[in-house]
Amino acid sequence: MGYDDYNNNLSLLSIKKDQLVSPELFDSIPSDVEAYDIIYELYKDDDLCKAFNNSLSFFCKTENIVYDNGLYIEGIKVDSGCYKDILKVIHTQNGIVLNEDDFNPKSERVKKLREKQLENRKKIQKLKKDSGNGSDLLTFFDLVSIICSNANGINVFNVFDLNMFQFNDQFNRMKLLNDYETSIQSLLHGADPKNIEIKHWISKS
């Protein structure tokens, strides 16, 4: 579908209520009203509603989405709590890090997942920063090319079978392995062990 279209779809599902209405109207909206309620009710004749529905259909892998005094996916009514859970899954699958105010981990496992997402995001940002500025910055297509050239078993014919979570995980594991091999080679060539931090690639990333 193209990376830009993919990002647009992801952005639509991350839209918030205060982005859809004026500040005056926002204060009068009940707390149980979600962004999708506003989109389907106030924007039902607008392209935004169609685009949002297509995005929801894409990530939920179904076209059976209906809004009739409430949101129904595959015939199941989706209330406010369920919708937020769906968004959390979509965010996790696609490497989206939620703002601190929006993220309230209910378990230690979820907390660790968020910490890993933040760490992975910092690694990607550092990699982009190290690559230079302007046109020298690594794009998503550069990352695809890099992982196809170096990752075991991943090539141009199957890389797009990965979802974004799997892609980021494989990319960071590949980088961890490369860092480990570079550290070992530095030691073998006489580098001071005190200046080399070795983290084995068979460890938590």
Side-chain angles (χ1 to χ4, degrees):
M1 67 183 304
Y3 190 58
D4 288 339
D5 287 340
Y6 159 80
N7 276 332
N8 287 335
N9 278 324
L10 199 55
S11 296
L12 277 171
L13 291 192
S14 302
I15 199 167
K16 297 182 178 180
K17 290 186 287 187
D18 59 0
Q19 297 174 291
L20 296 168
V21 296
S22 64
E24 297 79 13
L25 182 59
F26 178 77
D27 293 335
S28 64
I29 297 176
S31 59
D32 61 340
V33 172
E34 288 293 335
Y36 64 80
D37 292 305
I38 298 174
I39 291 174
Y40 282 110
E41 291 285 359
L42 297 183
Y43 294 87
K44 58 184 177 181
D45 297 322
D46 193 272
D47 289 340
L48 174 63
C49 184
K50 182 179 180 181
F52 178 84
N53 194 80
N54 289 340
S55 299
L56 194 57
S57 175
F58 172 74
F59 286 106
C60 291
K61 306 299 185 201
T62 179
E63 295 183 359
N64 187 6
I65 298 176
V66 178
Y67 189 88
D68 184 14
N69 293 321
L71 181 62
Y72 293 82
I73 300 178
E74 288 289 333
I76 301 173
K77 186 171 184 178
V78 177
D79 60 18
S80 178
C82 182
Y83 181 72
K84 289 176 181 177
D85 287 340
I86 291 174
L87 286 187
K88 285 181 182 179
V89 171
I90 293 174
H91 286 153
T92 300
Q93 289 176 327
N94 294 276
I96 299 298
V97 179
L98 302 177
N99 294 328
E100 187 68 36
D101 293 339
D102 297 331
F103 193 89
N104 183 24
K106 297 181 180 179
S107 68
E108 189 65 23
R109 181 176 179 275
V110 176
K111 182 179 179 181
K112 288 182 179 179
L113 176 61
R114 181 178 186 276
E115 291 173 351
K116 183 176 180 180
Q117 287 178 328
L118 287 170
E119 186 178 349
N120 287 344
R121 189 181 191 187
K122 289 178 181 178
K123 288 179 181 178
I124 296 296
Q125 289 174 341
K126 184 179 184 301
L127 188 62
K128 289 182 177 180
K129 183 178 179 180
D130 291 344
S131 69
N133 296 315
S135 60
D136 293 331
L137 286 175
L138 289 174
T139 66
F140 173 74
F141 301 103
D142 293 320
L143 299 181
V144 170
S145 178
I146 291 169
I147 200 170
C148 288
S149 301
N150 295 275
N152 183 32
I154 300 177
N155 53 58
V156 293
F157 300 107
N158 61 22
V159 63
F160 292 107
D161 292 335
L162 302 175
N163 59 41
M164 290 303 294
F165 181 87
Q166 294 168 327
F167 180 87
N168 288 332
D169 181 67
Q170 289 297 307
F171 187 88
N172 284 292
R173 181 61 60 177
M174 181 189 72
K175 186 176 183 300
L176 192 63
L177 174 59
N178 183 71
D179 290 345
Y180 173 75
E181 292 176 343
T182 300
S183 298
I184 294 298
Q185 289 298 318
S186 298
L187 289 175
L188 292 175
H189 286 81
D192 187 349
K194 295 180 180 179
N195 298 326
I196 302 296
E197 181 181 355
I198 299 179
K199 182 177 181 180
H200 200 282
W201 67 277
I202 305 179
S203 60
K204 291 185 177 182
S205 59

